[in-house]
Amino acid sequence: MPMFSDGIPETELPAGATVTTDVVVVGSGPAGASAALLLATLGVGTIMITKYRWTANTPRAHITNQRSMEVFRDMGIEGQVLADATDHSLVGDTVFCTSIAGEEIGRIHTWGTRPDREGDYRLASPCLTVDIPQTYLEPILVRNAAQRGAQTRFSTEYLAHTQDADGVTVQVRDRLSGHEYSIRAKYLIGADGARSKVAADIGLPFEGAMDVAGSMNITFKADISRHVEHRPSVLYWVLQPGSNVGGIGAGLVRMVRPWNEWLVVWGYDITGEAPVIDEAAAVRIVRGLLGMPDLEVEITGTSLWGNNEMYATRLQQGRVFCAGDAIHRHPPSNGLGSNTSVQDSYNLAWKIAAVLKGQAEPALLDTYTAERAPVAERIVTRANRSSREFTGIFEALGVLGAADEAAMTAAIEERKANTPAGAAKRAALVRAMQLKNYEFNAHGVELGQHYTSAAVVCEGSELPVPARDADLYYEMSTVPGAHLPHAWVGDNTQRHALMDLAPYDRWTLLTGIAGEEWEQAAEKVGEELGIPLTAVVIGPGREVTDLYYDWAGLREIGESGVLLVRPDKHIAWRAMELPDEPESQLRDVLLSILGRN
């Protein structure tokens, strides 16, 4: 029989009993389920609760970028995710059209599938962007979290909490029986979505507004492979007379499963009454956007949601933290939502584990806000800007000022004319389509998070001035605070990504043959401070060699220098060359980062 952490069978919990654990996670979405998985992997007692009976019931988030795939690789579940995902090769021909069966206005290679951009993506990571709907991803995360020891409580609602010097008491309700009880924990993580009660209870400060526009989802099944498999993508944007251009900007037909499960996104005026979409209305919208008036369509669901433009400027209060949509609320543009949520938890979980295990002082936890709040602001700003940039396409087509559907049709048709006005419209369309790279190929936004906090020792190092657009292009660096660059290393029998040498359960030193003294320093300092710390020497004749000599060009330090890599793969500190007393310097740096000096 399943037990809570105090040994009480969960079916026999007496009234007024208190369950104990290390961490309570509220929410089982990408942020909450990732937090539970990461904490359980690190051996931290965790109870994850959600008021829902199961994981996501609609395929909301889906684009899963390279950084999130790296997290899943680190957790040993990359293969499981890939098995349920639509492959990278099928995600990229984002189409703009008058209907799926109608005329194309244009296409754009997206998510790094354009040949000249694919090299950027492959050089940046051992993983590629894929598409996996939330309905498929969440069960993988929850299953693995439970297998590794996390307790999962569905139909269990967070009510309130109180915190004191020693921990947090969380009040919850079993929604099936109505029974209320308490969970006593050291820490609480609120990953309870865009209307987070946890965030409200701790008074997180926010910038921006909620519900700035309205959208509806219609999920359906229909085999339309003959219209799409020759131009494979997950997104088909429809601009047509009568198409609702509110909400996120145009009618959208999104692939859920190739090529017979789909989702339509349709805007509505959120300032008015919410629309009621019956099956007949849903079929009419779907057939209109597909341009297939007689198509047999199976409607599988409808839902309404609001587009938000809000981010938290502080992410924690005492022993309570928030993650995911609770702290960054924005439209789905750029595909940043679930990805950033996973990465929030990746930043936070190892820090909580380090404090609970006595490896770090609680001050380390203050770096969560310092590091992730700027990311929250950046992605909310970028996603909303990308959403507004659709206006450029409408302006180029000349449909914004159209008085009626006939005028709209004429404006769209004018792009074909051999006239000065037609030529001007075609040139404007080129510019408008190029601007959409900032939504669909914003590699720098996806991967370029640089941290500045007490958990990073810079010692005068600064990020180089970007040679290219920092939103579109990701530039690897070993400046402290940057993410560990990607390179392939190994020997004549096996190949590893560099990140594989720095697993989530430890700190890692990376050096060259001339820096082999760091091995002894790591052993001594790790034992003295009680932290898992491993040194990896990369070079010929060692267990790990620089297979393509890429690492030599990326490391930015001398062969005797060193990179100190945090569990979350961000660089905590670097020494350009071997100092006179490497052991002493390493000890001082770690004591500072861990708040123990």
Side-chain angles (χ1 to χ4, degrees), residues 289-321:
L289 291 176
L290 297 184
M292 305 173 198
D294 300 318
L295 181 71
E296 287 296 318
V297 174
E298 178 188 349
I299 302 298
T300 56
T302 63
S303 61
L304 303 180
W305 51 280
N307 289 285
N308 306 313
E309 189 169 7
M310 180 176 280
Y311 58 88
T313 56
R314 175 169 49 81
L315 314 184
Q316 60 199 97
Q317 180 63 44
R319 293 176 172 270
V320 183
F321 307 84

Side-chain angles (χ1 to χ4, degrees), residues 65-67 112 117 120-121 124 334 336 343 375 378-379 382 437-450 463 466 468-476 483:
N65 67 30
Q66 292 174 286
R67 192 66 83 224
R117 293 303 310 274
D120 291 335
Y121 282 68
N334 289 81
L336 297 169
Q343 294 153 35
V375 176
R378 185 183 188 190
I379 66 153
R382 179 66 260 171
N437 276 299
Y438 283 93
E439 176 173 1
F440 299 120
N441 293 296
H443 203 209
V445 177
E446 294 169 7
L447 300 189
Q449 292 91 27
H450 179 264
L463 280 173
R468 300 184 292 179
D469 188 301
D471 275 5
L472 291 181
Y473 299 96
Y474 169 56
E475 295 191 13
M476 294 183 284
H483 193 276

